[in-house]
Amino acid sequence: THPEHPLCPRSAYCAASVASLTNILTPALFAGTAEWIARCQNWEGGIGGVPGMEAHGGYTFCGVAALVILKKEHLLNLRSLLHWVTGRQMRFEGGFQGRCNKLVDGCYSFWQAGLLPLLHRALHARGDTALSMTRWMFDQTALQEYILLCCQCPAGGLLDKPGKSRDFYHTCYCLSGLAIAQHFGSGDLHHEVVLGVPENRLQATHPVYNITPEKVMRAVMHFLQQPVPGLEPGE
Amino acid sequence: DEIGLIPCPEARYNRSPIVLVENKLGVESWCVKFLLPYVHNKLLLYRQRKQWLNKDELIDITCTLLLLNPDFTTAWNVRKELILSGTLNPLKDLHLGKLALTKFPKSPETWIHRRWVLQQLIQENSLPSLVTKGNLGAVPVERIHRLVQEEMNVCSEAAGRYPSNYNAWSHRIWVLQHLGKLTVKVLLDELSSSKYWVSMHVSDHSGFHYRQFLLTSLISRTVTDNNVLVQNQMINEQNPSLQKEESAGAEAACAEEQSVDVPCHLEEELELCTELIDTYPGHETLWCHSDETLNNSHHSPATSHMAQAMDVDGLNESSSKQGYTQETKRLKRTPVQDSLGPEMEYRFIDKVLSTCRDADQARFATAYRKWLVTFLGQ
């Protein structure tokens, strides 16, 4: 699909993610994309699949991450977004739901909790002085409890919730969420909260690309050293 | 009118696995592991140009495949080709999709294909004559209306089969936007027909979100029509004798649409929320919906624009649009803000807190009060 009309925050995120890592991101390529994503933010504060649709964890992460890459997070109402996502952590289970009044699901440990680092960074850039220097704005311990105690398959791998079977998707996003919950900040401002034994500690993941920060840097460096591809085929 | 899988791990008798009872199709589960790879393979060979299949065979094979696995995009795409070449009636795909959704109410590919088919159907000119048979020979408006109604039914069924069915509800919204053109009539019809459904599914956030969509669309519709009305009146003032008949027609249409009482609908919505919250304690969706409805009623541009239009109307002596004038009088008599005032909401919250025994309900009520204080500054 045409980047200007992604028709879905997911495709916008995939495109922005790839383009930024491979150094082919140009304003022309994403003209109108940021504005379209912002239109997908609704009255609940989260982002839906298309403008007018219900706010949904998956779409919200993709939309926000894409905007962070495009440096246009300010187009969103960050306050209502913060209100929505923090409301999605379940007070009994500790994990996150994907939408209001739905059940907890391990994969939202990343899609939802992963929004807090992005919001933290965006609000910090705006000069917000109330931000913590040690914690994200969700209960990191409770999320780790949910993942470790409820989302592990005895035979290995992770899952949605007790009773469900394991799959690669849930394994990936439960672990990603666990990494987010364990690591605050980066560099000098890094603060760890590891629930249980030290062996539970995972490496930190990059909150935008969800690969390790080191891999992000290597990818960016690699492509920066390549000649930028021309627009004409066969050039 | 419905399909399903009959759990039957072994073929005990030497007979067909297909079971047809009262127009419902069942397939015994033991045969699926033979049937699915067989038809799947046949289709792939066709696509790879290794084995030819004629049109009828293609229709049969894709039909079988899709009833077993409707997320098989290739099969839908083969049917797209058949439709475009005029061999397959697009209505058949609407029916096939409807059937598939009885077993797979979320199936993204089914919904996507459905939107493609509907887009084909509303493009009058490109239709092969095949489609005008049957009851679709009617006037285009009538026909589109019927399509819209059918889609509303399909969505409703699918939404009932899977809680908070995101794909079904977004399809429903798409149909209203692209086929129903978001007319006031369509919006009001949907508001009244979805009322019963959401009352029966009080935790279905998607259902209530749909009502928010209807209300917000109504609000912006009213604003647009108001602007048109105001503009027309200004033109009339300047050129009273010019084009009176033409603009009267347009204004009459606007006046009819103008009789939408947005504040009244918002109030009814709030009453519905209150009633449901009382009846079914502890459902977060209902409280969220309440929040947003109240929010809309306070910040509704419709109410402020109506006030403006009111003044213009007062100056224009020659206005004879009864509906509009009566509406204006009603607005003047009862200021909108008070009837949806926060005082009423505080009383409601107090009542809930003093009588409820559900911990979640108490929590939601307290949070709602906090929200009222913060966001409304009251």
Side-chain angles (χ1 to χ4, degrees):
Chain A
T1 50
H2 228 224
E4 286 105 303
H5 302 285
L7 295 183
C8 176
R10 292 173 301 185
S11 12
Y13 171 60
C14 288
S17 190
V18 168
S20 55
L21 288 174
T22 57
N23 191 30
I24 59 170
L25 201 157
T26 65
L29 198 58
F30 290 96
T33 305
E35 289 73 19
W36 185 87
I37 295 174
R39 280 176 51 216
C40 292
Q41 181 176 29
N42 77 350
W43 59 270
E44 299 171 79
I47 292 178
V50 285
M53 261 314 285
E54 190 185 349
H56 180 293
Y59 291 123
T60 306
F61 179 83
C62 292
V64 175
L67 288 175
V68 166
I69 294 173
L70 299 173
K71 302 193 186 10
K72 300 259 178 86
E73 318 91 288
H74 58 272
L75 290 179
L76 295 171
N77 181 333
L78 296 177
R79 186 185 185 199
S80 66
L81 175 61
L82 184 63
H83 184 253
W84 178 80
V85 65
T86 48
R88 305 281 69 77
Q89 183 165 26
M90 315 286 277
R91 70 186 48 238
F92 175 71
E93 294 94 327
F96 280 80
Q97 63 185 180
R99 299 181 264 149
C100 178
N101 228 159
K102 289 210 77 174
L103 298 175
V104 71
D105 181 338
C107 69
Y108 292 112
S109 308
F110 179 73
W111 302 122
Q112 299 284 35
L115 283 168
L116 279 319
L118 299 179
L119 277 166
H120 208 103
R121 184 216 270 206
L123 291 168
H124 179 73
R126 285 218 300 223
D128 194 316
T129 49
L131 290 171
S132 162
M133 305 280 260
T134 52
R135 298 283 182 134
W136 304 122
M137 285 182 275
F138 72 92
D139 193 328
Q140 291 168 245
T141 312
L143 180 60
Q144 291 184 52
E145 270 183 10
Y146 178 67
I147 297 172
L148 292 169
L149 297 174
C150 307
C151 294
Q152 294 198 71
C153 172
L158 292 99
L159 35 93
D160 164 353
K161 57 173 71 65
K164 302 277 184 153
S165 43
R166 63 187 176 171
D167 59 60
F168 295 115
Y169 165 82
H170 283 96
T171 303
C172 172
Y173 290 103
C174 280
L175 290 175
S176 307
L178 187 57
I180 297 277
Q182 288 177 344
H183 298 272
F184 169 87
S186 61
D188 292 339
L189 207 57
H190 187 203
H191 187 85
E192 283 179 22
V193 178
V194 178
L195 185 75
V197 298
E199 285 77 24
N200 288 343
R201 180 189 180 279
L202 297 179
Q203 282 186 61
T205 186
H206 193 288
V208 173
Y209 299 101
N210 196 20
I211 54 181
T212 57
E214 184 217 320
K215 290 208 172 79
V216 171
M217 199 167 60
R218 273 169 41 199
V220 168
M221 295 309 299
H222 172 81
F223 286 100
L224 272 178
Q225 285 156 14
Q226 306 292 317
V228 178
L231 288 172
E232 300 304 309
E235 193 173 313
Chain B
D1 56 4
E2 193 182 328
I3 57 166
L5 205 59
I6 302 171
C8 180
E10 267 171 48
R12 291 222 208 102
Y13 310 104
N14 188 12
R15 60 147 193 234
S16 164
I18 308 296
V19 177
L20 189 64
V21 176
E22 287 177 10
N23 213 26
K24 299 188 198 297
L25 181 69
V27 173
E28 290 177 2
S29 59
W30 62 264
C31 78
V32 177
K33 63 175 177 286
F34 302 110
L35 184 59
L36 187 52
Y38 172 72
V39 282
H40 184 233
N41 202 40
K42 265 197 128 170
L43 191 66
L44 285 183
L45 287 175
Y46 165 77
R47 277 302 237 207
Q48 289 161 1
R49 296 179 196 276
K50 287 181 185 160
Q51 199 180 88
W52 175 251
L53 290 168
N54 69 35
K55 305 276 162 83
D56 290 321
E57 287 171 320
L58 276 176
I59 292 177
D60 279 342
I61 289 202
T62 51
C63 183
T64 309
L65 268 169
L66 291 165
L67 288 176
L68 291 170
N69 176 18
D71 279 323
F72 188 29
T73 319
T74 304
W76 286 121
N77 287 343
V78 167
R79 292 181 79 93
K80 285 188 181 73
E81 287 167 9
L82 292 169
I83 289 172
L84 288 173
S85 69
T87 328
L88 177 60
N89 186 339
L91 295 177
K92 289 239 154 72
D93 272 28
L94 288 184
H95 186 245
L96 178 60
K98 183 176 178 177
L99 209 52
L101 290 168
T102 60
K103 183 162 185 299
F104 306 93
K106 288 199 292 176
S107 167
E109 291 303 319
T110 306
W111 293 109
I112 290 171
H113 182 75
R114 212 176 173 78
R115 288 192 275 279
W116 182 88
V117 171
L118 289 167
Q119 261 163 343
Q120 295 300 308
L121 283 173
I122 60 179
Q123 285 162 31
E124 281 307 84
N125 302 330
S126 64
L127 284 174
S129 57
L130 214 61
V131 177
T132 54
K133 288 183 191 159
N135 61 1
L136 276 200
V139 175
V141 171
E142 172 69 23
R143 168 177 167 184
I144 291 196
H145 176 75
R146 251 183 291 196
L147 278 177
V148 170
Q149 279 317 301
E150 172 65 358
E151 291 310 298
M152 298 296 109
N153 286 340
V154 171
C155 289
S156 204
E157 291 266 316
R161 290 199 155 94
Y162 185 84
S164 260
N165 190 336
Y166 200 83
N167 296 335
W169 290 103
S170 55
H171 181 80
R172 197 164 180 160
I173 288 177
W174 181 92
V175 169
L176 287 192
Q177 289 168 330
H178 291 85
L179 264 65
K181 306 293 179 195
L182 292 179
T183 62
V184 170
K185 180 184 187 312
V186 150
L187 293 171
L188 289 176
D189 282 346
E190 276 299 289
L191 211 50
S192 77
S193 58
S194 61
K195 189 168 182 172
Y196 179 73
W197 196 95
V198 298
S199 310
M200 294 292 115
H201 299 82
V202 292
S203 258
D204 198 313
H205 193 71
S206 304
F208 281 96
H209 179 273
Y210 181 64
R211 290 182 74 80
Q212 282 303 332
F213 164 76
L214 294 173
L215 290 167
T216 355
S217 305
L218 265 175
I219 290 173
S220 32
R221 196 53 170 182
T222 320
V223 170
T224 321
D225 292 343
N226 263 333
N227 290 338
V228 170
L229 205 58
V230 166
Q231 280 164 19
N232 281 345
Q233 286 183 331
M234 288 180 175
I235 294 171
N236 275 351
E237 269 168 44
Q238 286 155 22
N239 306 296
S241 54
L242 241 66
Q243 298 166 339
K244 243 208 172 111
E245 276 178 39
E246 284 170 27
S247 58
E251 279 168 356
C254 279
E256 190 198 291
E257 301 212 332
Q258 188 49 40
S259 63
V260 173
D261 189 353
V262 168
C264 178
H265 285 293
L266 289 171
E267 199 174 321
E268 273 174 25
E269 199 63 20
L270 219 47
E271 270 170 31
L272 174 66
C273 284
T274 311
E275 196 186 305
L276 290 174
I277 287 173
D278 264 339
T279 318
Y280 305 102
H283 289 267
E284 192 174 4
T285 294
L286 296 172
W287 290 95
C288 287
H289 191 61
S290 229
D291 281 359
E292 186 54 20
T293 308
L294 196 63
N295 200 23
N296 271 331
S297 68
H298 270 252
H299 301 305
S300 164
T303 50
S304 56
H305 278 252
M306 272 182 188
Q308 280 173 20
M310 234 161 70
D311 297 334
V312 173
D313 188 55
L315 289 170
N316 189 354
E317 301 289 322
S318 62
S319 162
S320 59
K321 294 171 284 295
Q322 279 304 302
Y324 185 77
T325 319
Q326 279 170 4
E327 181 62 14
T328 312
K329 280 187 186 144
R330 199 200 87 91
L331 278 175
K332 278 178 174 156
R333 250 204 323 269
T334 53
V336 177
Q337 305 281 47
D338 284 355
S339 62
L340 287 166
E343 302 81 35
M344 206 175 78
E345 290 307 289
Y346 282 122
R347 277 200 298 277
F348 171 62
I349 293 171
D350 288 337
K351 175 176 160 273
V352 166
L353 283 171
S354 60
T355 57
C356 81
R357 269 166 285 192
D358 184 282
D360 283 331
Q361 182 86 327
R363 183 168 48 88
F364 292 138
T366 316
Y368 186 48
R369 158 179 284 159
K370 212 169 158 193
W371 177 84
L372 275 177
V373 170
T374 322
F375 278 77
L376 300 186
Q378 304 276 344

